[in-house]
Amino acid sequence: MRAALFDRYGPPEVLHEGTAPDPVVEPGHVLVRVHAASVNGGEVMARAGKLKLLLGRKFPKRVGLDFAGEVVSGPGFEPGAHVWGGLPRGSFGSAAEYVAVHPRQIARSPAGLDLVQAAALPGVGTTAITALRDKAKLRRGERLLVRAASGGVGSVAVQVGKAYGAHVTALAGERNLDFVRELGADEAIDYRTDPADLGSFDVVLDTYGSTPRAYRGLLAPGGRMVGIAFRSAADVGYVLASTVFGSRRVRFFSGNPRSDLFADLTALVESGAVRPVVDAVHPLGGIAEAHRALEAGGVRGKHVVRVV
């Protein structure tokens, strides 16, 4: 089958479209024909060699974490059913013609949503729900600050925050301020603004990752902060040390969404509360350009790789 591969660690140019063995479908698993996959920060780090201690030096390696497609065979779904989902934690390879997954890794995708557009949501959407609903326990009427609000997770978090009834302040680049307002942000502020001038918040969602101390300092009494990205060892150290603050610690997590969480995301999309945001769609053979574009920054939503 066709798949996105790389034969050594390095810059985006190491990526190419090649051939990989068809997946082995274990008993009780579902074979999915992938229509599209998105590009995520974790696989960019993997390709660049920043995770080589975990991934080793056996090549070729694959990329892709989440996907949208149609069922070929397997329990719980009729052939042709439209689904979306993600590979188990630590696995890569959804940027390919087929994936074989356990039913707990997928759910039906939203009715009427194009599968290529849908591929922009599974990873970032479930991350936003987990961060705001499960980790921060965001409540109606609370003040939410979303950092890097125009990016993959941020653009969905703005929408999810509004769906949960929060007053959403979005930090983004100057050219993206109107964009995040269109997503539902009550306030849109240039990310270069001094954090000390932003006011106080009940929940801070940091999807960018640097200087967490400055943003944790914005929490009102009883406030909660969730961080999903880290830019340096010092920032990681601060987050780990923040456990001494108890309820005011910086919460973080490693996503491994299951079918119920994908189904919750489906419901939010079908209700009209959340929509996919696609910066650009690339062919499978353009996988290197997709990675290059993500690394260049300034992304609105997600870069998606079309397989079919």
Side-chain angles (χ1 to χ4, degrees), residues 46 51 56 62 85 89 108 115 148 162 183 197 214 233 235 278 282 285:
L51 303 178
R62 308 265 300 277
R89 180 186 292 151
R108 291 183 180 273
L115 286 172
K162 289 302 297 179
L183 293 177
D197 295 332
D235 292 333
V278 178
H282 308 262

Side-chain angles (χ1 to χ4, degrees), residues 150 175-176 279 293-294 296-300:
S150 64
R175 76 178 186 89
N176 286 326
D279 188 300
L294 180 60
V299 177
R300 287 188 174 190

Side-chain angles (χ1 to χ4, degrees), residues 25-305:
V25 185
E26 299 178 3
H29 283 56
V30 179
L31 180 64
V32 178
R33 185 189 186 207
V34 175
H35 282 229
S38 76
V39 180
N40 297 277
E43 64 194 278
V44 169
M45 293 175 62
R47 183 220 74 226
K50 296 179 180 179
L51 303 178
K52 65 176 64 175
L53 291 178
L54 296 175
L55 300 178
R57 294 184 174 277
K58 183 179 179 180
F59 295 98
K61 295 189 184 298
R62 308 265 300 277
V63 294
L65 294 168
D66 54 3
F67 57 89
E70 57 183 306
V71 171
V72 177
S73 63
F77 300 90
E78 71 275 11
H82 286 191
V83 297
W84 61 7
L87 301 181
R89 180 186 292 151
S91 301
F92 297 94
S94 65
E97 286 188 278
Y98 296 96
V99 294
V101 293
H102 194 280
R104 64 173 171 262
Q105 299 296 143
I106 59 175
R108 291 183 180 273
S109 62
L113 183 61
D114 175 80
L115 286 172
V116 175
Q117 297 290 309
L121 276 174
V124 294
T126 53
T127 297
I129 293 172
T130 301
L132 296 179
R133 183 190 69 186
D134 303 336
K135 298 297 180 180
K137 301 190 185 306
L138 180 67
R139 296 185 291 269
R140 181 169 295 277
E142 290 193 314
R143 292 181 57 83
L144 165 66
L145 176 68
V146 179
R147 193 177 181 201
S150 64
V153 176
S155 62
V156 182
V158 169
Q159 299 177 73
V160 172
K162 289 302 297 179
Y164 292 162
H167 180 282
V168 179
T169 298
L171 294 183
E174 185 177 9
R175 76 178 186 89
N176 286 326
L177 296 181
D178 286 341
F179 167 66
V180 294
R181 290 189 188 100
E182 292 171 3
L183 293 177
D186 298 285
E187 299 178 74
I189 300 175
D190 192 310
Y191 74 90
R192 294 169 294 186
T193 301
D194 188 330
D197 295 332
L198 294 174
S200 64
F201 299 89
D202 301 293
V203 174
V204 172
L205 174 58
D206 184 1
T207 77
Y208 184 75
S210 67
T211 61
R213 182 190 300 270
Y215 290 90
R216 199 191 69 82
L218 304 181
L219 293 177
R224 293 86 66 201
M225 178 171 171
V226 181
I228 64 164
F230 307 100
R231 296 275 167 171
S232 70
D235 292 333
V236 173
Y238 176 80
V239 169
L240 294 174
S242 77
T243 56
V244 301
F245 295 108
S247 63
R248 290 171 60 82
R249 70 191 183 279
V250 181
R251 296 157 171 82
F252 62 96
F253 61 95
S254 176
N256 189 27
R258 299 297 176 91
S259 57
D260 57 345
L261 191 52
F262 289 119
D264 291 341
L265 179 60
T266 295
L268 280 172
V269 175
E270 291 186 337
S271 74
V274 171
R275 63 177 175 87
V277 179
V278 178
D279 188 300
V281 177
H282 308 262
L284 185 60
I287 184 67
E289 176 56 33
H291 274 233
R292 190 179 301 113
L294 180 60
E295 289 185 327
V299 177
R300 287 188 174 190
K302 297 288 289 181
H303 283 272
V304 171
V305 176

